[in-house]
Amino acid sequence: MLPKTNGHVDLKCEADGHLWVTWRVDTPQPDASREYPLPRSAAFTGFVRDEHGMPIAKARVGVRRDYQANDKDPEFPGLPASAHVEQAGYNLSTETNADGSYLIDGALPQLSYLLFPRHPDFDAVPQANGFGTPAIAAREGTTVDLV
């Protein structure tokens, strides 16, 4: 229930598989049945394997924005300018399954990210850029296999 006094509140909404959205909502609301859409987040999926192609279970795969890429902020048609959209979580990471597969959801679509696989039994493989494996987040999912 929103306040009945004049002013505004910030309403933060989140759901699995969607981005976090903070709405600046004027109060009182003339239409209490207003809906607040949440855009779908982008996901990374793939496998972590060793140099022989064998799956690595329980590897930690982390994802972070590549701010050196100078990406343009993604657009979200249908959202008002008062909506602030951010990735779904501050620590996008997961652990691989027994077959080496992973799925990380919550990324902002159309932006550059770096992926980092880590496992205590394996040395980190140096990347050409020195930072991680680069990939662009897509709404339909981005597949990145890591060695």
Side-chain angles (χ1 to χ4, degrees), residues 20-54:
W20 290 354
V21 179
T22 303
W23 301 85
R24 174 137 299 177
V25 178
D26 292 328
T27 58
Q29 282 269 296
D31 178 8
S33 65
R34 180 173 177 196
E35 293 184 8
Y36 297 92
L38 295 176
R40 299 266 330 146
S41 59
F44 293 97
T45 184
F47 292 87
V48 177
R49 296 185 172 100
D50 67 14
E51 65 275 9
H52 305 291
M54 299 301 296

Side-chain angles (χ1 to χ4, degrees), residues 89-115:
Y90 302 107
N91 181 19
L92 299 181
S93 67
T94 192
E95 188 174 271
T96 58
N97 298 314
D99 65 355
S101 65
Y102 70 91
L103 169 67
I104 300 174
D105 199 7
L108 286 161
Q110 305 160 345
L111 295 182
S112 299
Y113 283 82
L114 297 169
L115 285 81

Side-chain angles (χ1 to χ4, degrees), residues 42 44 65-67 69-74 87 107-113 135-138 142:
F44 293 97
R65 283 272 310 270
D66 182 1
Y67 289 101
N70 294 319
D71 293 328
K72 185 179 120 186
D73 287 338
Q87 74 182 26
L108 286 161
Q110 305 160 345
L111 295 182
S112 299
Y113 283 82
I136 305 284
T142 301

